[in-house]
Amino acid sequence: MHRLYKIAWVVRALIFKLMFKSFVMPGYLGRPTFILGAARMSLGTKVRIFPGMRAECFEGGALQIGDDVSIGQNFHIICSSELSIGSGCLISSSVFITDTDHQYDDVSLPVSSQPVTIRPTRIGDNCFIGVGARIQAGTVLGKGCIVGANAVVRGEFPDHCVIAGMPARIIKRYDHQAASWLRV
C-alpha cells in the first residue's frame, strides 16, 4: 500500500513538473492543498513533499528549493521576493516559512488592506526544522541549523546552532574543536 502512494506521488510530480519553473526528477509530491505561482518555483533533485502543501509565490517572487530536501505534511510557504531552502534540509510537518509580513499601522484599515513588508528569507544547507516551527520574513539560517519544535524564528543565525523558543534564540552551538554541541 505504501508503495502505491509513492507511485501516485511520482506521477503527480511528473504532471506538476510541467507547471513549475523546474522540478528535477527523481522527486515526489503528495497532494497539495493549494499552489499559486508554480512557474516561479524551482525544486531540485530528490525533493520529497508530503501531502497538504500550501505554496504561494506572488508576482516578483522566486522560490528555490535545493536538492535532497524532505518536507513534511501541511507545509505552508509564502514567497513575494527571494526565498530559498538549501540542499539536504529536513522540514517537519506543519511548518510555515515566509518572506512577507503584513503591516498593521493604520488601525482604521483591516490588516488585509494594508501594505506588506517583504524581506528575503534563506534557509541554509542541511538544516532541520522541527514540527510547527514558524520562520518569519527576513530570517537567515546558516548551514546545519537546528530549529526546535514550535519555534518562532526571526533574525540571522550563524552556521551550526540550535534555535528554540518563542521568540527563538540560540541555545546551543556546535564547537568544531570539541566536536560536540555546547549550551550557550
Side-chain angles (χ1 to χ4, degrees):
M1 187 66 156
H2 180 67
R3 185 175 168 94
L4 290 176
Y5 279 113
K6 285 196 175 184
I7 291 170
W9 294 355
V10 168
V11 170
R12 185 176 297 110
L14 289 169
I15 293 167
F16 273 104
K17 181 179 171 74
L18 302 172
M19 295 187 300
F20 283 94
K21 181 175 181 181
S22 69
F23 192 135
V24 183
M25 298 303 284
Y28 57 84
L29 178 64
R31 183 178 307 179
T33 300
F34 180 78
I35 296 179
L36 174 72
R40 292 182 293 281
M41 299 178 189
S42 300
L43 285 68
T45 185
K46 291 174 52 182
V47 171
R48 298 155 323 271
I49 301 173
F50 285 81
M53 176 182 71
R54 176 177 171 181
E56 301 167 76
C57 195
F58 293 99
E59 188 73 32
L63 173 62
Q64 176 71 44
I65 299 177
D67 297 333
D68 195 22
V69 173
S70 180
I71 298 174
Q73 65 271 17
N74 302 320
F75 176 63
H76 186 182
I77 191 162
I78 298 174
C79 174
S80 296
S81 69
E82 301 171 29
L83 200 154
S84 63
I85 298 171
S87 294
C89 288
L90 176 58
I91 300 174
S92 299
S93 65
S94 302
V95 168
F96 174 68
I97 301 175
T98 187
D99 67 358
T100 308
D101 277 329
H102 289 275
Q103 293 182 20
Y104 52 89
D105 297 331
D106 187 345
V107 296
S108 67
L109 290 174
V111 172
S112 61
S113 297
Q114 297 189 44
V116 294
T117 302
I118 300 167
R119 293 188 302 274
T121 299
R122 290 186 294 282
I123 310 299
D125 291 342
N126 302 317
C127 288
F128 171 72
I129 300 176
V131 172
R134 305 296 184 246
I135 310 296
Q136 300 295 314
T139 296
V140 177
L141 297 181
K143 295 177 185 175
C145 285
I146 310 298
V147 175
N150 297 312
V152 178
V153 183
R154 181 185 301 270
E156 295 189 21
F157 297 89
D159 294 350
H160 308 292
C161 61
V162 177
I163 306 155
M166 293 182 262
R169 62 182 178 80
I170 298 172
I171 61 170
K172 290 183 181 180
R173 290 182 193 240
Y174 189 76
D175 183 319
H176 290 279
Q177 287 181 326
S180 66
W181 292 94
L182 303 177
R183 288 211 171 270
V184 174

